[in-house]
Amino acid sequence: MRDADLSLPEVRAFNAVVSAGNFTRAAQQLGVSQPAVTAQMRKLEARFKGPLLERVSHGVRLTELGQRLYRITAQFAELDHNVRALIKPGSASSLEEIRLATASPLVFMPLIARFVREYPEVSLKLHTATTDECFKVLANREVDIGLFPMHWDDRQLSRLAYRDHHLVAILPSTHPLAGLSRLSLHQLQDESLIFSRRYSYTQQLLDRLIQQEGLALKSSIWIDSRTDICEAVAHGLGVGFAFKGDIPAQGEYAVVPIAEAAEAITEHVVWLKSRSDLPEVRCFVDLALRVLGESQASCLR
């Protein structure tokens, strides 16, 4: 980099282009002309030895250098948010958009829908991905809240336990094992199996259980979407696996607990500790706490 004295307009333009995805929407977001955004970006890129953005069919995307810079400059936007939060404590008036990433959309959709009802003027961006991918975009400040099973400790993150559920087997409703109250992985050795993508937490846990039991369970069918896995099971392609709360309630399939998966996994609402005072984080976490409180009160009646 030839000159480290970046200006605030350059940083704002860069952050806006990244979040908006193209120059036109970035200009609208900043309330300036597109040429003004382009000029700031040219000044910024002139300071670096390589490009920060590359043009693609749907807009622009960050280069590796741009990603490294954005992890730093994203904190400037947080400073603005934090200052507004101090000026108007407890106010959601500055909340315009919330970005969520979830590995468990069915589990968290009621909470997301509740948020939309309570904050109808707030724009919602929902990203669905694996647990590891959700963690990555949260750590990179590409989203405000992560909704996934956080099964490790991280001093940078705060988390709120939201729901427990277990790994289960999904079988065709006519399958001989479908009526069992519980089955063992050993009973599936001669079955056609359907696995989910390798890097999903579901598959990681299933692989560990298979290894612990000394089994050689394999699959020739790999499907990313849990909804699609359920459809494949319903059409007789094999036995699938998922966490219970991630399975649609109705379908031509049966859900049977797995004996070896006795330990429940916990779905969490997750956020960066450094961003706890941002309106989008504060409002969503407060809502999650209220929903949990209402649920506990209902169970005590």
Side-chain angles (χ1 to χ4, degrees):
M1 193 167 72
R2 294 194 295 271
D3 186 352
D5 295 329
L6 305 184
S7 71
L8 187 55
E10 290 169 11
V11 171
R12 283 176 174 162
F14 176 63
N15 287 351
V17 171
V18 174
S19 63
N22 63 45
F23 283 74
T24 301
R25 287 195 296 269
Q28 294 171 346
Q29 182 178 309
L30 294 172
V32 300
S33 67
Q34 182 175 330
V37 173
T38 301
Q40 294 297 342
M41 282 301 306
R42 284 176 178 166
K43 288 168 59 180
L44 179 63
E45 288 197 301
R47 302 174 185 274
F48 292 83
K49 295 181 179 179
L52 302 174
L53 301 168
E54 58 182 355
R55 294 190 178 274
V56 293
S57 58
H58 56 276
V60 296
R61 66 183 175 195
L62 289 169
T63 62
E64 182 180 351
L65 178 62
Q67 291 174 5
R68 290 164 56 193
L69 178 62
Y70 185 61
R71 283 195 287 271
I72 299 170
T73 63
Q75 299 174 58
F76 282 81
E78 291 176 24
L79 289 174
D80 286 339
H81 276 298
N82 283 325
V83 169
R84 280 184 283 172
L86 287 173
I87 294 173
K88 295 184 178 181
S91 171
S93 59
S94 60
L95 181 55
E96 299 177 354
E97 176 184 275
I98 188 165
R99 302 165 301 166
L100 309 175
T102 181
S104 308
L106 288 184
V107 170
F108 287 102
M109 200 56 70
L111 177 60
I112 295 169
R114 174 80 173 265
F115 183 88
V116 171
R117 288 195 298 272
E118 296 203 9
Y119 299 95
E121 302 303 318
V122 177
S123 174
L124 169 71
K125 291 184 177 179
L126 180 62
H127 176 64
T128 58
T130 66
T131 294
D132 289 345
E133 289 166 345
C134 287
F135 166 71
K136 182 178 179 180
V137 294
L138 179 67
N140 289 341
R141 293 176 168 81
E142 296 173 43
V143 298
D144 307 304
I145 295 284
L147 305 169
F148 54 85
M150 186 179 162
H151 48 91
W152 68 95
D153 293 324
D154 191 315
R155 293 183 179 180
Q156 298 182 77
L157 301 177
S158 292
R159 60 182 173 181
L160 172 66
Y162 185 74
R163 177 178 172 177
D164 291 343
H165 56 170
H166 291 80
L167 184 69
V168 298
I170 313 165
L171 303 99
S173 55
T174 56
H175 194 284
L177 300 176
L180 296 180
S181 60
R182 187 173 299 270
L183 63 78
S184 169
L185 291 174
H186 292 265
Q187 295 173 273
L188 301 176
Q189 292 187 85
D190 298 324
E191 299 289 337
S192 174
L193 303 179
I194 302 170
F195 286 171
S196 55
R197 48 184 160 176
R198 180 73 66 183
Y199 297 107
S200 71
Y201 184 47
T202 302
Q203 192 60 43
Q204 290 175 17
L205 178 57
L206 179 61
D207 288 343
R208 285 202 300 271
L209 293 175
I210 291 172
Q211 184 177 21
Q212 289 170 11
E213 294 301 309
L215 297 171
L217 300 184
K218 297 181 180 179
S219 174
S220 60
I221 303 175
W222 296 77
I223 301 178
D224 290 347
S225 164
R226 279 161 292 207
T227 301
D228 293 341
I229 289 174
C230 291
E231 279 297 303
V233 170
H235 283 82
L237 294 185
V239 176
F241 304 89
F243 292 111
K244 188 174 182 180
D246 293 326
I247 302 171
Q250 296 181 340
E252 297 297 320
Y253 45 81
V255 175
V256 181
I258 299 171
E260 291 81 4
E263 186 176 348
I265 66 104
T266 302
E267 301 281 355
H268 292 91
V269 177
V270 189
W271 65 98
L272 286 168
K273 289 180 180 178
S274 62
R275 309 186 80 215
S276 295
D277 290 330
L278 297 186
E280 45 269 69
V281 173
R282 190 174 63 248
C283 289
F284 196 91
V285 173
D286 286 348
L287 174 61
L289 285 168
R290 279 192 283 124
V291 169
L292 288 171
E294 293 167 5
S295 177
Q296 292 171 358
S298 176
C299 290
L300 292 174
R301 289 179 191 148

